[in-house]
């Protein structure tokens, strides 16, 4: 349950990841079209700083992509900060991320921790989907994956994540 910038942590939480999410403005075609960072950069319309919440891991299922993310953790929620349209797509690899719990600095990382550049993660996903005859479509929202290690968050704590030049997202967990 999310109320403003507060959320009740569900049972089975693994932790939180600090990531960026992008709104895609054009369908990324796989047939013969190059799916690379430049194509992704041209398709990205907006960006949000986000906190992704992960639930307990499961065993692989017959259709795991419906609810699982890396290492079969379950996606629980994505908490988005303010939308940014004014960010340097080419310099996302240099974006500094700082995560704090109750004001104490826990981790920091740069965008190059995400496959060398956050848009490379989106390009990788687009290529993988194209191999399956699927695609990222206009209107889709795509998250990069974590800039750093997963953070344990507990009831009563506030996680604040700042992405320099993009924005900040914060949530208190109950």
């Amino acid at each position: 349950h999310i109320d403003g910038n507060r959320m009740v942590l569900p049972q089975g939480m693994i932790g939180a990841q600090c990531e960026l999410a992008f709104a895609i403005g054009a369908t990324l075609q796989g047939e013969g079209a190059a799916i690379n960072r430049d194509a992704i950069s041209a398709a990205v319309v907006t960006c949000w700083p986000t906190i992704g919440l992960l639930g307990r891991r499961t065993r692989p299922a017959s259709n795991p992509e419906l609810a699982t993310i890396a290492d079969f953790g379950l996606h629980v929620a994505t908490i988005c900060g303010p939308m940014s349209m004014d960010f340097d797509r080419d310099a996302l690899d240099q974006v500094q991320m700082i995560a704090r719990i109750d004001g104490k600095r826990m981790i920091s990382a740069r965008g190059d921790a995400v496959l060398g550049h956050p848009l490379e993660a989106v390009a990788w996903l687009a290529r993988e989907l194209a191999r399956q005859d699927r695609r990222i479509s206009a209107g889709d929202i795509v998250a990069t994956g974590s800039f750093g290690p997963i953070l344990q968050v507990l009831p009563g704590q506030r996680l604040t994540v700042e992405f320099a030049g993009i924005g900040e997202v914060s949530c208190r967990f109950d």
Side-chain angles (χ1 to χ4, degrees), residues 92-97 108-114 118 146-148:
L92 288 171
D93 59 335
Q94 301 301 308
V95 168
Q96 185 72 29
M97 179 279 298
S108 64
R110 285 188 349 177
D112 59 1
V114 183
S146 193
F147 271 47

Side-chain angles (χ1 to χ4, degrees), residues 9-22:
L9 284 173
Q11 289 194 7
M13 285 295 304
I14 294 173
Q17 61 184 21
C18 310
E19 57 191 348
L20 294 175
F22 301 106

Side-chain angles (χ1 to χ4, degrees), residues 49-68:
T50 65
I51 297 169
L53 298 181
L54 308 177
R56 99 181 54 134
R57 299 174 199 281
T58 64
R59 287 179 286 158
S62 60
N63 201 0
E65 67 271 4
L66 294 179
T68 60

